[in-house]
Amino acid sequence: MVDNSKTIFARPESMTENVTHYCPGCTHGIIHRLVAEALDDLGVRERTVGVAPVGCSVLAYNYFNCDFLEAPHGRAPALATGFKRLRPDMIVFTYQGDGDLASIGGNEILHTANRGEKITTIFVNNAIYGMTGGQMAPTTLPGQVTTTCPSGRNLTDTGYPLRVSELLSTLATPAYIERVSVHTPMHIIRAKKAIRRAFEYQIEGRCFSLVEVLSTCPTNWGMTPSESTKWLNDNMVPFFPLRLFKEPETTA
Amino acid sequence: MAKILMKGNEAIAEAAIKAGCRAYFCYPITPQTEVAEYLAKRMPEVDGVFLQGESEIGVGNMLFGAAATGQRAFSTSSSPGISLMQESISYMAGAQLPVVLVNIMRGGPGLGGILPAQSDYFQSVKGGGHGDYKLLVLAPSTIQESVDLMMLAFHLADKYRNPVLIIGDGMIGQMMEPVEFPENYKEPPLPDKPWALTGASGRKPQIVKSLFLDPLMLEKNSQILNEKYEQMKKDEIRFELYKVNPKNEILITSYGTMARICQTAIDDLEERGISVGLFRPVTLFPFPEQQLFKEATRKNIRAVLTIEMSMAQMHEDVQRVIMGKTPTEFFGRTGGVVPSPEEVIDQIVGLLDKYSGKKNTKRSSSKSKKA
Amino acid sequence: MPTVIIDKNHCKGCELCVKACPMQVLAMSKDITVKGYLYAKLDDPSRCIGCRICAVTCPDVAIEVHVNGTVFALFDY
């Protein structure tokens, strides 16, 4: 080893050494790292509680070096609300997939955002149910094939994909809502900034913050990891535009 | 402390405050919304957390999150709302979280009605959610007892790290009776809460969860829960006997406000020379099995009559416990219909005929003096 | 000279880093790890500019980047 070498990239302290159970190329791992890096950079690991959903990331608590709470499917925002109300001094974040947040948990995230709970939600949108083997999610794209829409999502039958960030940003209650992605290094770097900004708002006790992160699912999309990043870019980004939807500074 | 005339719902709310609880989550539902209205004013006075959720699903899960802090928290609802909370209750039991819930029961099933009923016995005692778990279930019959059991509930929840459920019916919620809150309330020592999520500073991270993908680990978790339930069966059984003596010809089993109505009937029958005793379970889980068996199988008891405001739910447990050693009978009204003492008296007199063979001359149900 | 350390036990052979490397200095191994994955490795250390893009894009935090002396940072991270 070179004696005066400097480490310019390493595993964040808020992340455990465990090898994740996520499929090869699944970008959940990247999002975990970005959250862990935010906890490190902001020095809040020791007073943070994560709330895990039901879905691929139900086992998130094996990968974070902070206290964790495991919620029933879709209920993480309610657990976070109950916890944060009793411990406003602690940092509380939920980490949820699209089935968890946009389907069964729709009412919970809607009212948590509308009450302006001072928590942070990391919403991972990969347009499919991963853990259960690739079923249609509320965010599944038009024509996208899944095990429960085998001939492609039929819009007249199941409606259009649900744009959560747009939906929540219509609420009058101040919030920080941004949609980012992690399918290329450049997007990852931008996502890191957004996630950090979300936690900063919570540390300030300013407002509810939600970062929607477009993510890949190579296994259930039936593609290689790099093909998945391309498919995401060509199909998901057009339907789910990557931009800032709402920030407390400019809310009317 | 002087006695105060209070509505049941409000007395339950104040009892929680007196027990040191500083967090309440609610959703409006008749007949218990006054608990929320009372605490909306009262919780801020004690720097407590009061929050109305988007649904009972939201509320049950807010309670879940609050309990994970290790602090005392509770919620109240009524039958349909309690049904919506069953998922979170199962999770809290699986994750071993101390929490208190109150079900001011109303008529069911479905939207049912808003008048008093006891049709949620099975849901409460046999486990309303999924998985091998139990709730410690307490059934008050007076407003004072509701206060006492409410305070006890928080203690038992912490003692066993398990949700505790109080079930009253609409009358418990809506009646006003004088109550007294204990002066400087002290509790026996309780285990501390190393499991509470306080932030991984100076210690390894902690997880509050109920997922155990390894079947042996999940089985182990269910065994740990079961040991607690066995412990409850040994140490937490509570019941009350009313005018039980060797002269009894019939033994009534009933709980909650229904038992009070039976007491009126028993007093009335006593004046007419008919001796009837009442066995009133206070803990519905753990059910007072041996104690009921002992009273029910005395030679002088011709039959055991279970009376509930339901279509016979506790009755099944009574039959299971007595195992046919003494004939068991049931009388119940439901849907919000509350049996009168006269109806109870008619039942008793009918049973005396059925089980004694000779006509009972005192058959006519006289107007009860003390209804 | 910058060095990239790839932890074979964390790598699942997804190849995202190989494709992302601007200098194309990473390549997949010929042998497999104990879990049966091919793993990424630094093929031509001399041309690595320590830009960290491989580590940024790795979903399994399998890559550490070390440099000595000044580093040419393409982006702040």
Side-chain angles (χ1 to χ4, degrees), chain B residues 108-127:
Chain B
L111 194 49
I114 57 169
L115 295 178
Q118 297 181 320
S119 309
D120 302 353
Y121 176 90
F122 284 151
Q123 179 192 55
S124 313
V125 172
K126 304 300 177 186

Side-chain angles (χ1 to χ4, degrees), chain B residues 285-342:
Chain B
F285 182 85
F287 195 73
E289 299 185 352
Q290 287 95 351
Q291 296 83 353
L292 172 58
F293 182 81
K294 197 179 88 191
E295 297 304 333
T297 52
R298 292 191 190 285
K299 285 186 295 315
N300 52 296
I301 300 293
R302 295 196 192 139
V304 174
L305 174 62
T306 305
I307 302 182
E308 298 173 72
M309 290 191 283
S310 74
M311 299 294 283
Q313 296 191 23
M314 183 174 76
H315 183 52
E316 289 190 8
D317 277 333
V318 170
Q319 288 180 308
R320 173 176 60 82
V321 164
I322 296 174
M323 294 178 285
K325 292 274 187 310
T326 308
T328 52
E329 300 278 348
F330 173 78
F331 169 63
R333 304 295 302 271
T334 191
V337 174
V338 177
S340 65
E342 286 70 33

